[in-house]
Structure formats: structure tokens, C-alpha cells
Amino acid sequence: MSGEEGWIISIGEDEQSMNHRPSFDKKNSYEPETGIYHSVLQLSEQHKMTSGNFELDTAKFVLSQFPCPAQAESQIALIDSATNQKITYAQLHRSVFSLATGLYHALGVRKGDVIFLLSPNSLMYPTICLAVLSIGAILSPANPLNTESEISNQVRLSGAKLAIVALEEVHKLVPTGVPTLLTTCPKNDENSVSVEELIEKCDPLELPKDRPMLSDTAAILYSSGTTGVSKGVVLTHANFVEIMKLLKYYVDATSSQDDTFLCFIPMFHVYGLAFFGLGLFCSGITTVLMQKFDFQAMLEAIQTHKINHIPAVPPVILGLVKHNKGGYDLSSLRKVSSGAAPLSKEVADAFREKFPWVELKQGYGLTETTGAATYFVTNEEAKARPSSVGVLFPGFSAKVVNYETGEASPPFKEGELWLKGPGVMKEYFANEEATAATITNDGWLRTGDLCYFDDEGYLYIVDRIKELIKHNGYQVAPAELEAILLSHHQILDVAVVPLEDEEAGQIPVAYVVRAAGSGLTQDQVIQFVSSQVAPYKKVRRVNFISAIPRSAAGKILRKELVLHSKQSILSKL
């Protein structure tokens, strides 16, 4: 495959190995006897050898992939899109070791301690992540949009020993009582200690000799999983190292060190953390960093910095299709990746029509799989299958399980996607019940997504079996919103369901049963929820109803409500 030397199509196995596993169709790597789909891709031996020792923990692995010292002094790792401040790979390397020294010697952070990170994207974010991981501590990044109560729950869930916090978010940590380290100190405040100060004052020392094992926890990320409210996803060093290997091979095969990537994906999200907080450094790539997403600022950054590659989400791709009217020069763009939520065929086709010189590839992953599972290798494959999310990454296997019979399904038959692979999480933190409901006894991760494979190993996500609502790439748990709404004294019963939305993907819609004589309005309900949750979780529409439809067992019949919402919209058109 020209230009894709890091990947080769699987062409079989030696006779001995074949004697110890079922036969499979080499066209799609589907085993009819077991119902298991294997990746049709392998890593070439050449690329297996380029990354050295894979027994390293996450930080050591990433740092070992930095450009050589002579090149690192001039090679730009990060650029701030707003200030144009630049950090070279050599400066990043020194900052990581200086901060690690300060955390270890000045603040007493040790292997296994949980460090809670609450900050928007910044040039310092990757330094913090790598420094925490380099001393064997556990990284626990959270969404700055979360409310004080949500943050308190996550801090309590993770058992954090220290919180590293942006100045504008520090008030959310006060109720937790957890010691805090500011990312930057306020001016004229000599009493505060900050990450900046530790980096400036601490001479880098050797890392602790008590290194983490690959099986040790590297990070706790927050996800609603397949059902319910926020859970801590436990990802190990092995998870990250294996996914970093896959990302490195892919980026090395499809990009060059002259490429410039744009990052507006938040780094607390597995997509942003795995790709920008860690992964791209393994290939010596330059990343232009945006603190938060702004569409016009994104267009300006593409033009100013001659951006070549944007890992994006569907609403951004839709925005490029609809709103690029400012005369910006986007001719430098060569690749756009889509993840975090499904990209419709209609939007993909419209994007390719408007930007025919840009490669558009969709992938699929979960927080529970360290952000990776499937991807497209070539643009030709992606164009030929605009509704697919690609093929399994090397090392991943899948089943498509009929959720009524429990039987594995062959190509073109729909069922729930089950995954095995190097990125699959260890567990949900301190939640045995949720872990058992998500990971089977023999190690399969139940994704909760309805899907099918075609006869060439390409995956198609049809719908979500799970009840989560995807709003602009964020997961919104109906159960969480329902619990909040039910705390209102004028609400007797409630159900929250998704409604498809062209720009946001889905929006939460609440069906509310009011108490007798109540004059509760839609605006009052929306405001009640809005004051207690992050902006992306807000209820966007309210329908008042006499009774919530439920099954005999008391389960909400959400499909009826979703259908009602769609019909209500159609009747108003």
C-alpha cells in the first residue's frame, strides 16, 4: 500500500500457529466457528522495531520516542494558537523532569497516588500528564465544565491525594478539602505554589527507581460507561503503551514530522489525552493548541499555522461544511479525522464535495478502550464506505452478539459490539457491579452499541443500545438528569430521552409529569437542571405528559418517547 508502509494486510499464519486456532476467512478475518472478527491489519516488522523497548511504562515510552537531543532543541512540539508561544521537544523534556522532581521531592507525591487534574487545554497540560505518570502517580483528568458537586463526586470517587487546578477552577475544589497546586500563580501572590514555579525552581533529577509495572493503573478517566452515571475508567500503563504504539505506527505511516496538527479536542477526554497529550509526541509532530474550541479561531489557526491535520468531531465537520464563509485559506489542510460520535454519510459526502483535496477518515473508540478500536488506513477505503468506522486496529478482536439470544452474528447481521484488545480497560474504579456488567468473565467488553461487520471486516455502527445521549461528543446519562429532575417538588415522574439534532448530534429532551395544580413551565425546568450540571448536560426541551410509559417491570419505554419527540417535530414543520 503506497504511503501506508506501517500496515500490511494479514496474509496468514505459520502452520504451527494455525493448528492451535480455528480456521478463518482471510478476506475478513472472521472465524465462523467462534463468531470472532480479527483485525485484517498487522504491523510490519520494520515498524515493530522502530520504537525500541515496549516494556517501558507510559511516560518512559513516550519520552523515549522524542527526537534525538540535537533535533529536539529546534523541533517544535507545541504552539499556543492565541499567543504563538512555542515549546520545543527539548524544553518539554526538561519541563517534565523538573515538574516530576518538584512533585516527588517538594510535595511528596509517590507511586500510586491519584492526582486530580482540572484545567482547560494549555501548553502545560502535556507536561503535567507526563510528569505525573513519570513518577508512577495516577492521572485523573476531569472536565472543567463540570459543576462543583460533580467535581466533588469525582474527587471522592478517585481518592485523589492532590489536585492540579487552573486558577479559574480552584473554587470547585474548596469543598473537597484536597490540597491544590495551581497551574499558574496569580500575580503578586507569593503564598501560592504553582506548576510554573516548580518547573522554574526545580532542577531535573533522575526519576524514582520504583517504576510502575505495565499492569499498574496509569489513569482514571470519567465515563458513563454503557449505562448510568459517571464511573472511573481504570486504564493501565499497558493500555496506554499499546495504544501509543498503534498511534505512532499510524501517524508515522500517514504523516511526516513536517506536518502540523491542530488540537481543540479537550485533553481530559480520552481522544484528546491519547492523541495530543501523549501520542503525537511519539512521532515528533508539531501541535497547535487551542485552549477551548471557537470556530472562527479554528479557521484563523488553520490559515496562520498552515495546519495539515485536524482530529475533529462531527459538529466541527458539519460547521466546515456549512459555515466557512470568511474567506480563510484552508488549502494547507490534507487530513481530517472524525471520532467521539458517529459521522453521518450525508455530512461526510458534503464535506468531501466541498473539500475534495482533504482526506476524511472516521474511527471508533471508547474511553473503555483507551480511545481506539477501529480506523481507516487509506482515504480510498473511507470514501468507498462513508457509513463505516473502519477496520479493527491490529491486536483487536470483536464479536457481534445478538442481545436477545446471546449468539455471535456473522457479517451483515446486527448485534451488540463486543471488543477485546490491548486498549480495553482494567475495570471501573471501585465498582465491581458495573465492571461485571461490562466485562465478561472471558474478557470481552460489552460496548452497548448496535453494529454489524461487512464481508471485508469493515465495522458499521447502527445505533446505541445503551441509553446514553451523545451531545457534541460528550456523554450525557439520562439517569443522572432524571435523578435531578425528580428532586424538584413539583415533578412526580420524569424520563429523559435523546432527540437527533443536526449540529449537536443529539439533545436531551425531558418528559415531565407535573404535580396536581402545578404551573411549572419549560423554562423553569430547563433552568432547574442547568444550575446543577455542566452546560453540555442541560435539558434542551421539555414535554409535559400525564404519565411516563413503562413496561410491566417498571422500565421506561424510551422508544415510545423518542418516537413521540420525532413526530412532534415533524408536525410543527
Side-chain angles (χ1 to χ4, degrees):
M1 294 191 295
S2 177
E4 312 289 345
E5 294 85 355
W7 305 92
I8 59 175
I9 295 295
S10 175
I11 55 174
E13 302 173 85
D14 60 45
E15 183 177 351
Q16 181 179 2
S17 64
M18 286 296 291
N19 288 336
H20 291 281
R21 64 183 299 183
S23 62
F24 62 95
D25 181 344
K26 296 180 182 63
K27 183 180 180 183
N28 60 22
S29 289
Y30 171 67
E31 294 177 350
E33 297 95 332
T34 64
I36 295 175
Y37 296 83
H38 296 280
S39 176
V40 297
L41 302 173
Q42 294 177 353
L43 299 176
S44 68
E45 290 301 320
Q46 175 187 357
H47 279 72
K48 286 182 181 179
M49 297 298 294
T50 57
S51 295
N53 182 6
F54 294 142
E55 295 303 310
L56 299 175
D57 57 73
T58 307
K60 272 202 167 184
F61 176 77
V62 173
L63 293 168
S64 74
Q65 304 304 305
F66 275 26
C68 66
Q71 185 180 357
E73 290 292 345
S74 59
Q75 180 68 21
I76 302 299
L78 295 163
I79 302 174
D80 188 306
S81 66
T83 67
N84 205 39
Q85 180 184 352
K86 298 179 175 66
I87 294 179
T88 67
Y89 272 88
Q91 290 171 325
L92 178 59
H93 193 277
R94 288 190 290 267
S95 294
V96 169
F97 276 81
S98 293
L99 179 56
T101 298
L103 292 172
Y104 187 83
H105 292 286
L107 299 182
V109 176
R110 293 294 182 264
K111 177 182 174 182
D113 289 341
V114 177
I115 308 301
F116 192 81
L117 176 56
L118 187 66
S119 171
N121 286 357
S122 71
L123 294 183
M124 211 170 296
Y125 207 108
T127 298
I128 295 169
C129 294
L130 286 167
V132 168
L133 293 170
S134 71
I135 54 179
I138 298 170
L139 180 69
S140 188
N143 188 348
L145 292 177
N146 286 349
T147 63
E148 186 177 294
S149 62
E150 290 169 321
I151 294 299
S152 294
N153 288 336
Q154 291 175 338
V155 169
R156 184 170 58 253
L157 172 66
S158 68
K161 178 178 179 178
L162 173 72
I164 300 178
V165 192
L167 179 62
E168 63 271 22
E169 305 296 338
V170 72
H171 65 281
K172 297 178 182 177
L173 272 296
V174 173
T176 69
V178 174
T180 58
L181 174 67
L182 297 177
T183 54
T184 57
C185 271
K187 293 180 179 180
N188 303 320
D189 186 348
E190 298 180 355
N191 296 321
S192 298
V193 180
S194 71
V195 168
E196 279 185 335
E197 186 178 0
L198 288 177
I199 292 173
E200 291 174 3
K201 292 185 176 181
C202 295
D203 294 326
L205 301 176
E206 286 296 317
L207 297 177
K209 294 181 179 180
D210 184 19
R211 304 301 306 161
M213 299 176 64
L214 287 175
S215 59
D216 288 340
T217 299
I220 301 172
L221 275 63
Y222 300 100
S223 167
S224 294
T226 56
T227 59
V229 296
S230 183
K231 303 177 183 70
V233 175
V234 176
L235 300 176
T236 66
H237 286 274
N239 289 146
F240 277 109
V241 170
E242 292 297 323
I243 296 305
M244 293 307 100
K245 286 162 51 178
L246 294 177
L247 289 175
K248 174 176 171 57
Y249 296 137
Y250 181 78
V251 172
D252 287 352
T254 59
S255 304
S256 73
Q257 284 192 349
D258 295 330
D259 282 351
T260 302
F261 283 61
L262 181 64
C263 172
F264 47 75
I265 304 293
M267 290 190 195
F268 68 81
H269 192 286
V270 69
Y271 189 3
L273 177 62
F275 209 96
F276 293 106
L278 300 170
L280 285 183
F281 299 130
C282 296
S283 296
I285 295 293
T286 297
T287 298
V288 175
L289 197 63
M290 296 177 65
Q291 184 179 57
K292 61 181 180 179
F293 179 74
D294 176 84
F295 191 80
Q296 292 301 121
M298 179 193 73
L299 297 177
E300 291 173 6
I302 294 171
Q303 176 176 274
T304 300
H305 298 282
K306 306 301 180 186
I307 300 297
N308 309 122
H309 194 145
I310 303 177
V313 292
V316 173
I317 296 169
L318 177 63
L320 284 167
V321 170
K322 287 192 168 186
H323 303 299
N324 181 30
K325 300 176 182 178
Y328 292 95
D329 180 7
L330 306 184
S331 61
S332 62
L333 265 185
R334 295 204 308 272
K335 298 181 179 71
V336 173
S337 307
S338 181
L343 178 69
S344 71
K345 177 183 182 299
E346 292 74 19
V347 173
D349 288 343
F351 180 89
R352 291 189 175 102
E353 183 178 351
K354 186 168 186 176
F355 303 99
W357 70 92
V358 180
E359 296 183 6
L360 175 63
K361 299 177 185 176
Q362 186 173 188
Y364 171 84
L366 307 163
T367 307
E368 288 82 356
T369 62
T370 321
T374 71
Y375 207 65
F376 278 104
V377 177
T378 70
N379 187 48
E380 289 70 25
E381 292 168 328
K383 288 172 67 176
R385 301 167 182 84
S387 298
S388 173
V389 293
V391 296
L392 293 165
F393 269 118
F396 277 87
S397 300
K399 282 184 181 181
V400 178
V401 179
N402 185 306
Y403 50 90
E404 294 179 350
T405 67
E407 296 179 355
S409 302
F412 296 108
K413 292 290 185 180
E414 294 182 1
E416 182 184 11
L417 178 64
W418 289 17
L419 291 170
K420 265 188 184 180
V424 171
M425 69 173 183
K426 181 178 182 180
E427 61 187 358
Y428 287 122
F429 186 72
N431 196 332
E432 293 182 4
E433 182 179 355
T435 301
T438 305
I439 300 179
T440 66
N441 291 334
D442 54 350
W444 289 98
L445 176 78
R446 298 181 173 107
T447 70
D449 284 323
L450 185 67
C451 74
Y452 67 89
F453 281 89
D454 66 17
D455 59 357
E456 294 183 280
Y458 289 89
L459 177 64
Y460 297 76
I461 302 297
V462 178
D463 203 349
R464 282 176 286 278
I465 302 169
K466 55 193 178 184
E467 297 173 347
L468 294 176
I469 299 167
K470 281 284 185 111
H471 181 79
N472 281 331
Y474 293 116
Q475 293 180 340
V476 181
E480 182 180 4
L481 300 181
E482 287 161 1
I484 291 171
L485 286 163
L486 286 172
S487 69
H488 194 292
H489 68 282
Q490 295 184 52
I491 294 178
L492 297 180
D493 202 0
V494 66
V496 175
V497 298
L499 178 64
E500 300 301 317
D501 182 82
E502 186 177 50
E503 293 193 7
Q506 294 178 325
I507 60 173
V509 176
Y511 280 82
V512 172
V513 180
R514 288 179 289 198
S518 170
L520 196 63
T521 67
Q522 171 175 273
D523 289 344
Q524 288 172 330
V525 173
I526 291 174
Q527 181 57 40
F528 179 74
V529 176
S530 176
S531 64
Q532 301 181 65
V533 299
Y536 66 88
K537 295 181 183 178
K538 293 193 301 184
V539 169
R540 309 285 165 158
R541 187 170 297 166
V542 178
N543 293 318
F544 294 102
I545 195 170
S546 59
I548 301 295
R550 296 178 182 272
S551 68
K555 185 176 180 180
I556 297 171
L557 301 176
R558 298 184 189 275
K559 287 185 178 180
E560 292 186 14
L561 297 175
V562 170
L563 181 60
H564 179 274
S565 291
K566 291 179 178 178
Q567 291 174 340
S568 296
I569 295 297
L570 290 174
S571 68
K572 295 177 182 178
L573 294 179

